PDB file of all heavy atoms in Angstrom:
ATOM      1  N   THR A   1     105.351 114.844 152.182  1.00 98.00           N
ATOM      2  CA  THR A   1     106.214 115.984 152.510  1.00 98.00           C
ATOM      3  C   THR A   1     105.448 117.119 153.172  1.00 98.00           C
ATOM      4  O   THR A   1     106.033 118.155 153.494  1.00 98.00           O
ATOM      5  CB  THR A   1     106.926 116.527 151.257  1.00 98.00           C
ATOM      6  OG1 THR A   1     105.953 117.062 150.357  1.00 98.00           O
ATOM      7  CG2 THR A   1     107.743 115.436 150.561  1.00 98.00           C
ATOM      8  N   LEU A   2     104.150 116.928 153.386  1.00 98.00           N
ATOM      9  CA  LEU A   2     103.332 117.945 154.050  1.00 98.00           C
ATOM     10  C   LEU A   2     103.370 117.765 155.564  1.00 98.00           C
ATOM     11  O   LEU A   2     103.615 116.666 156.065  1.00 98.00           O
ATOM     12  CB  LEU A   2     101.894 117.860 153.544  1.00 98.00           C
ATOM     13  CG  LEU A   2     101.685 118.353 152.116  1.00 98.00           C
ATOM     14  CD1 LEU A   2     100.342 117.883 151.573  1.00 98.00           C
ATOM     15  CD2 LEU A   2     101.791 119.869 152.057  1.00 98.00           C
ATOM     16  N   PRO A   3     103.094 118.829 156.315  1.00 98.00           N
ATOM     17  CA  PRO A   3     103.106 118.744 157.777  1.00 98.00           C
ATOM     18  C   PRO A   3     102.024 117.816 158.320  1.00 98.00           C
ATOM     19  O   PRO A   3     100.995 117.573 157.677  1.00 98.00           O
ATOM     20  CB  PRO A   3     102.832 120.186 158.225  1.00 98.00           C
ATOM     21  CG  PRO A   3     103.111 121.034 157.050  1.00 98.00           C
ATOM     22  CD  PRO A   3     102.844 120.193 155.842  1.00 98.00           C
ATOM     23  N   VAL A   4     102.277 117.335 159.534  1.00 98.00           N
ATOM     24  CA  VAL A   4     101.331 116.472 160.240  1.00 98.00           C
ATOM     25  C   VAL A   4     100.829 117.222 161.465  1.00 98.00           C
ATOM     26  O   VAL A   4     101.605 117.840 162.196  1.00 98.00           O
ATOM     27  CB  VAL A   4     101.995 115.146 160.666  1.00 98.00           C
ATOM     28  CG1 VAL A   4     101.018 114.276 161.450  1.00 98.00           C
ATOM     29  CG2 VAL A   4     102.526 114.397 159.447  1.00 98.00           C
ATOM     30  N   LEU A   5      99.507 117.173 161.660  1.00 98.00           N
ATOM     31  CA  LEU A   5      98.865 117.798 162.812  1.00 98.00           C
ATOM     32  C   LEU A   5      98.375 116.726 163.766  1.00 98.00           C
ATOM     33  O   LEU A   5      98.045 115.606 163.345  1.00 98.00           O
ATOM     34  CB  LEU A   5      97.656 118.639 162.382  1.00 98.00           C
ATOM     35  CG  LEU A   5      97.859 119.738 161.351  1.00 98.00           C
ATOM     36  CD1 LEU A   5      96.521 120.429 161.050  1.00 98.00           C
ATOM     37  CD2 LEU A   5      98.904 120.732 161.810  1.00 98.00           C
ATOM     38  N   LEU A   6      98.261 117.103 165.030  1.00 97.00           N
ATOM     39  CA  LEU A   6      97.598 116.279 166.031  1.00 97.00           C
ATOM     40  C   LEU A   6      96.354 117.033 166.458  1.00 97.00           C
ATOM     41  O   LEU A   6      96.432 118.184 166.900  1.00 97.00           O
ATOM     42  CB  LEU A   6      98.508 116.040 167.236  1.00 97.00           C
ATOM     43  CG  LEU A   6      97.901 115.261 168.407  1.00 97.00           C
ATOM     44  CD1 LEU A   6      97.451 113.873 167.984  1.00 97.00           C
ATOM     45  CD2 LEU A   6      98.910 115.160 169.535  1.00 97.00           C
ATOM     46  N   LEU A   7      95.192 116.412 166.266  1.00 96.00           N
ATOM     47  CA  LEU A   7      93.912 116.982 166.671  1.00 96.00           C
ATOM     48  C   LEU A   7      93.516 116.292 167.973  1.00 96.00           C
ATOM     49  O   LEU A   7      93.246 115.088 167.990  1.00 96.00           O
ATOM     50  CB  LEU A   7      92.838 116.729 165.609  1.00 96.00           C
ATOM     51  CG  LEU A   7      93.179 117.086 164.164  1.00 96.00           C
ATOM     52  CD1 LEU A   7      92.016 116.742 163.243  1.00 96.00           C
ATOM     53  CD2 LEU A   7      93.561 118.544 164.029  1.00 96.00           C
ATOM     54  N   GLY A   8      93.526 117.048 169.055  1.00 94.00           N
ATOM     55  CA  GLY A   8      93.259 116.474 170.358  1.00 94.00           C
ATOM     56  C   GLY A   8      91.799 116.151 170.581  1.00 94.00           C
ATOM     57  O   GLY A   8      90.923 116.949 170.238  1.00 94.00           O
ATOM     58  N   ASP A   9      91.532 114.998 171.173  1.00 92.00           N
ATOM     59  CA  ASP A   9      90.154 114.599 171.450  1.00 92.00           C
ATOM     60  C   ASP A   9      89.546 115.452 172.564  1.00 92.00           C
ATOM     61  O   ASP A   9      88.332 115.539 172.677  1.00 92.00           O
ATOM     62  CB  ASP A   9      90.067 113.116 171.812  1.00 92.00           C
ATOM     63  CG  ASP A   9      90.854 112.774 173.053  1.00 92.00           C
ATOM     64  OD1 ASP A   9      92.094 112.857 173.014  1.00 92.00           O
ATOM     65  OD2 ASP A   9      90.232 112.394 174.061  1.00 92.00           O
ATOM     66  N   GLU A  10      90.368 116.092 173.379  1.00 89.00           N
ATOM     67  CA  GLU A  10      89.859 116.984 174.426  1.00 89.00           C
ATOM     68  C   GLU A  10      90.184 118.437 174.101  1.00 89.00           C
ATOM     69  O   GLU A  10      90.141 119.294 174.978  1.00 89.00           O
ATOM     70  CB  GLU A  10      90.456 116.587 175.779  1.00 89.00           C
ATOM     71  CG  GLU A  10      89.971 115.235 176.238  1.00 89.00           C
ATOM     72  CD  GLU A  10      90.459 114.883 177.625  1.00 89.00           C
ATOM     73  OE1 GLU A  10      90.820 115.790 178.397  1.00 89.00           O
ATOM     74  OE2 GLU A  10      90.463 113.689 177.935  1.00 89.00           O
ATOM     75  N   GLY A  11      90.506 118.703 172.860  1.00 90.00           N
ATOM     76  CA  GLY A  11      90.835 120.048 172.416  1.00 90.00           C
ATOM     77  C   GLY A  11      92.299 120.163 172.053  1.00 90.00           C
ATOM     78  O   GLY A  11      93.135 119.366 172.462  1.00 90.00           O
ATOM     79  N   GLY A  12      92.571 121.163 171.272  1.00 93.00           N
ATOM     80  CA  GLY A  12      93.934 121.410 170.843  1.00 93.00           C
ATOM     81  C   GLY A  12      94.188 120.900 169.438  1.00 93.00           C
ATOM     82  O   GLY A  12      93.769 119.801 169.077  1.00 93.00           O
ATOM     83  N   VAL A  13      94.819 121.732 168.649  1.00 95.00           N
ATOM     84  CA  VAL A  13      95.250 121.389 167.302  1.00 95.00           C
ATOM     85  C   VAL A  13      96.690 121.875 167.212  1.00 95.00           C
ATOM     86  O   VAL A  13      96.952 123.062 167.423  1.00 95.00           O
ATOM     87  CB  VAL A  13      94.386 122.073 166.216  1.00 95.00           C
ATOM     88  CG1 VAL A  13      94.867 121.691 164.833  1.00 95.00           C
ATOM     89  CG2 VAL A  13      92.915 121.735 166.391  1.00 95.00           C
ATOM     90  N   HIS A  14      97.611 120.951 166.906  1.00 96.00           N
ATOM     91  CA  HIS A  14      99.026 121.304 166.933  1.00 96.00           C
ATOM     92  C   HIS A  14      99.786 120.674 165.778  1.00 96.00           C
ATOM     93  O   HIS A  14      99.502 119.540 165.383  1.00 96.00           O
ATOM     94  CB  HIS A  14      99.656 120.827 168.246  1.00 96.00           C
ATOM     95  CG  HIS A  14      98.970 121.373 169.449  1.00 96.00           C
ATOM     96  ND1 HIS A  14      99.220 122.636 169.925  1.00 96.00           N
ATOM     97  CD2 HIS A  14      98.025 120.842 170.255  1.00 96.00           C
ATOM     98  CE1 HIS A  14      98.465 122.856 170.979  1.00 96.00           C
ATOM     99  NE2 HIS A  14      97.714 121.787 171.197  1.00 96.00           N
ATOM    100  N   VAL A  15     100.792 121.398 165.285  1.00 97.00           N
ATOM    101  CA  VAL A  15     101.745 120.843 164.336  1.00 97.00           C
ATOM    102  C   VAL A  15     102.677 119.940 165.137  1.00 97.00           C
ATOM    103  O   VAL A  15     103.237 120.364 166.146  1.00 97.00           O
ATOM    104  CB  VAL A  15     102.566 121.959 163.647  1.00 97.00           C
ATOM    105  CG1 VAL A  15     103.612 121.356 162.714  1.00 97.00           C
ATOM    106  CG2 VAL A  15     101.670 122.925 162.895  1.00 97.00           C
ATOM    107  N   VAL A  16     102.840 118.683 164.699  1.00 98.00           N
ATOM    108  CA  VAL A  16     103.730 117.764 165.412  1.00 98.00           C
ATOM    109  C   VAL A  16     104.903 117.283 164.565  1.00 98.00           C
ATOM    110  O   VAL A  16     105.847 116.707 165.090  1.00 98.00           O
ATOM    111  CB  VAL A  16     102.980 116.560 166.015  1.00 98.00           C
ATOM    112  CG1 VAL A  16     102.054 117.012 167.130  1.00 98.00           C
ATOM    113  CG2 VAL A  16     102.228 115.774 164.966  1.00 98.00           C
ATOM    114  N   ALA A  17     104.851 117.514 163.251  1.00 98.00           N
ATOM    115  CA  ALA A  17     105.960 117.114 162.378  1.00 98.00           C
ATOM    116  C   ALA A  17     105.903 117.923 161.090  1.00 98.00           C
ATOM    117  O   ALA A  17     104.821 118.276 160.626  1.00 98.00           O
ATOM    118  CB  ALA A  17     105.890 115.621 162.067  1.00 98.00           C
ATOM    119  N   ARG A  18     107.062 118.189 160.533  1.00 98.00           N
ATOM    120  CA  ARG A  18     107.139 118.945 159.271  1.00 98.00           C
ATOM    121  C   ARG A  18     106.751 118.094 158.079  1.00 98.00           C
ATOM    122  O   ARG A  18     106.394 118.617 157.032  1.00 98.00           O
ATOM    123  CB  ARG A  18     108.549 119.496 159.077  1.00 98.00           C
ATOM    124  CG  ARG A  18     108.887 120.600 160.055  1.00 98.00           C
ATOM    125  CD  ARG A  18     110.332 120.990 159.943  1.00 98.00           C
ATOM    126  NE  ARG A  18     111.100 120.051 160.736  1.00 98.00           N
ATOM    127  CZ  ARG A  18     112.075 120.397 161.548  1.00 98.00           C
ATOM    128  NH1 ARG A  18     112.450 121.652 161.648  1.00 98.00           N
ATOM    129  NH2 ARG A  18     112.699 119.490 162.251  1.00 98.00           N
ATOM    130  N   GLU A  19     106.835 116.756 158.245  1.00 98.00           N
ATOM    131  CA  GLU A  19     106.523 115.806 157.179  1.00 98.00           C
ATOM    132  C   GLU A  19     106.288 114.434 157.794  1.00 98.00           C
ATOM    133  O   GLU A  19     106.620 114.195 158.953  1.00 98.00           O
ATOM    134  CB  GLU A  19     107.666 115.750 156.167  1.00 98.00           C
ATOM    135  CG  GLU A  19     108.963 115.289 156.807  1.00 98.00           C
ATOM    136  CD  GLU A  19     110.129 115.220 155.836  1.00 98.00           C
ATOM    137  OE1 GLU A  19     109.980 115.632 154.681  1.00 98.00           O
ATOM    138  OE2 GLU A  19     111.178 114.704 156.249  1.00 98.00           O
ATOM    139  N   LEU A  20     105.724 113.537 157.018  1.00 98.00           N
ATOM    140  CA  LEU A  20     105.395 112.210 157.516  1.00 98.00           C
ATOM    141  C   LEU A  20     106.611 111.436 158.040  1.00 98.00           C
ATOM    142  O   LEU A  20     106.526 110.841 159.123  1.00 98.00           O
ATOM    143  CB  LEU A  20     104.652 111.408 156.440  1.00 98.00           C
ATOM    144  CG  LEU A  20     104.138 110.051 156.881  1.00 98.00           C
ATOM    145  CD1 LEU A  20     103.162 110.163 158.042  1.00 98.00           C
ATOM    146  CD2 LEU A  20     103.501 109.337 155.709  1.00 98.00           C
ATOM    147  N   PRO A  21     107.749 111.396 157.340  1.00 98.00           N
ATOM    148  CA  PRO A  21     108.892 110.666 157.902  1.00 98.00           C
ATOM    149  C   PRO A  21     109.308 111.177 159.285  1.00 98.00           C
ATOM    150  O   PRO A  21     109.718 110.384 160.137  1.00 98.00           O
ATOM    151  CB  PRO A  21     110.007 110.883 156.864  1.00 98.00           C
ATOM    152  CG  PRO A  21     109.266 111.083 155.578  1.00 98.00           C
ATOM    153  CD  PRO A  21     108.035 111.864 155.976  1.00 98.00           C
ATOM    154  N   GLU A  22     109.160 112.464 159.521  1.00 98.00           N
ATOM    155  CA  GLU A  22     109.477 113.005 160.835  1.00 98.00           C
ATOM    156  C   GLU A  22     108.505 112.458 161.892  1.00 98.00           C
ATOM    157  O   GLU A  22     108.910 112.126 163.004  1.00 98.00           O
ATOM    158  CB  GLU A  22     109.425 114.535 160.777  1.00 98.00           C
ATOM    159  CG  GLU A  22     110.083 115.219 161.930  1.00 98.00           C
ATOM    160  CD  GLU A  22     110.243 116.703 161.695  1.00 98.00           C
ATOM    161  OE1 GLU A  22     109.213 117.419 161.702  1.00 98.00           O
ATOM    162  OE2 GLU A  22     111.393 117.147 161.511  1.00 98.00           O
ATOM    163  N   LEU A  23     107.226 112.347 161.549  1.00 98.00           N
ATOM    164  CA  LEU A  23     106.271 111.762 162.481  1.00 98.00           C
ATOM    165  C   LEU A  23     106.626 110.305 162.772  1.00 98.00           C
ATOM    166  O   LEU A  23     106.522 109.863 163.918  1.00 98.00           O
ATOM    167  CB  LEU A  23     104.833 111.840 161.963  1.00 98.00           C
ATOM    168  CG  LEU A  23     103.828 111.154 162.906  1.00 98.00           C
ATOM    169  CD1 LEU A  23     103.660 111.959 164.194  1.00 98.00           C
ATOM    170  CD2 LEU A  23     102.504 110.935 162.229  1.00 98.00           C
ATOM    171  N   LEU A  24     107.058 109.568 161.773  1.00 98.00           N
ATOM    172  CA  LEU A  24     107.437 108.171 161.996  1.00 98.00           C
ATOM    173  C   LEU A  24     108.560 108.079 163.022  1.00 98.00           C
ATOM    174  O   LEU A  24     108.569 107.174 163.862  1.00 98.00           O
ATOM    175  CB  LEU A  24     107.841 107.503 160.680  1.00 98.00           C
ATOM    176  CG  LEU A  24     106.736 107.369 159.631  1.00 98.00           C
ATOM    177  CD1 LEU A  24     107.282 106.747 158.360  1.00 98.00           C
ATOM    178  CD2 LEU A  24     105.550 106.596 160.155  1.00 98.00           C
ATOM    179  N   ARG A  25     109.493 109.017 162.998  1.00 98.00           N
ATOM    180  CA  ARG A  25     110.573 109.051 163.993  1.00 98.00           C
ATOM    181  C   ARG A  25     110.010 109.335 165.391  1.00 98.00           C
ATOM    182  O   ARG A  25     110.462 108.763 166.376  1.00 98.00           O
ATOM    183  CB  ARG A  25     111.611 110.113 163.622  1.00 98.00           C
ATOM    184  CG  ARG A  25     112.367 109.784 162.340  1.00 98.00           C
ATOM    185  CD  ARG A  25     113.483 110.790 162.056  1.00 98.00           C
ATOM    186  NE  ARG A  25     114.442 110.748 163.162  1.00 98.00           N
ATOM    187  CZ  ARG A  25     114.800 111.817 163.878  1.00 98.00           C
ATOM    188  NH1 ARG A  25     114.321 113.014 163.600  1.00 98.00           N
ATOM    189  NH2 ARG A  25     115.675 111.694 164.872  1.00 98.00           N
ATOM    190  N   VAL A  26     109.025 110.243 165.465  1.00 98.00           N
ATOM    191  CA  VAL A  26     108.381 110.542 166.749  1.00 98.00           C
ATOM    192  C   VAL A  26     107.667 109.287 167.267  1.00 98.00           C
ATOM    193  O   VAL A  26     107.793 108.932 168.439  1.00 98.00           O
ATOM    194  CB  VAL A  26     107.402 111.734 166.612  1.00 98.00           C
ATOM    195  CG1 VAL A  26     106.510 111.870 167.827  1.00 98.00           C
ATOM    196  CG2 VAL A  26     108.171 113.029 166.355  1.00 98.00           C
ATOM    197  N   LEU A  27     106.936 108.610 166.402  1.00 98.00           N
ATOM    198  CA  LEU A  27     106.228 107.398 166.803  1.00 98.00           C
ATOM    199  C   LEU A  27     107.195 106.328 167.300  1.00 98.00           C
ATOM    200  O   LEU A  27     106.915 105.641 168.277  1.00 98.00           O
ATOM    201  CB  LEU A  27     105.410 106.844 165.634  1.00 98.00           C
ATOM    202  CG  LEU A  27     104.256 107.692 165.127  1.00 98.00           C
ATOM    203  CD1 LEU A  27     103.659 107.066 163.876  1.00 98.00           C
ATOM    204  CD2 LEU A  27     103.208 107.891 166.199  1.00 98.00           C
ATOM    205  N   ALA A  28     108.331 106.208 166.640  1.00 97.00           N
ATOM    206  CA  ALA A  28     109.314 105.186 167.012  1.00 97.00           C
ATOM    207  C   ALA A  28     109.918 105.439 168.387  1.00 97.00           C
ATOM    208  O   ALA A  28     110.485 104.529 168.987  1.00 97.00           O
ATOM    209  CB  ALA A  28     110.407 105.103 165.948  1.00 97.00           C
ATOM    210  N   SER A  29     109.773 106.649 168.902  1.00 97.00           N
ATOM    211  CA  SER A  29     110.298 106.943 170.240  1.00 97.00           C
ATOM    212  C   SER A  29     109.572 106.127 171.311  1.00 97.00           C
ATOM    213  O   SER A  29     110.087 105.952 172.409  1.00 97.00           O
ATOM    214  CB  SER A  29     110.162 108.440 170.563  1.00 97.00           C
ATOM    215  OG  SER A  29     108.808 108.780 170.852  1.00 97.00           O
TER     216      SER A  29
END
């Protein structure tokens, strides 16, 4: 239920989902 971040290999740190199930929906896209 915790947020998911994306840590960019060329820089950048961003919130990409409010929780893991939300990230799974993004991945399924």
Side-chain angles (χ1 to χ4, degrees):
T1 65
L2 288 164
V4 178
L5 304 179
L6 176 60
L7 310 179
D9 61 293
E10 293 185 21
V13 180
H14 303 279
V15 177
V16 293
R18 290 173 277 224
E19 61 180 6
L20 186 60
E22 196 169 70
L23 177 70
L24 296 178
R25 294 185 61 236
V26 168
L27 295 174
S29 74

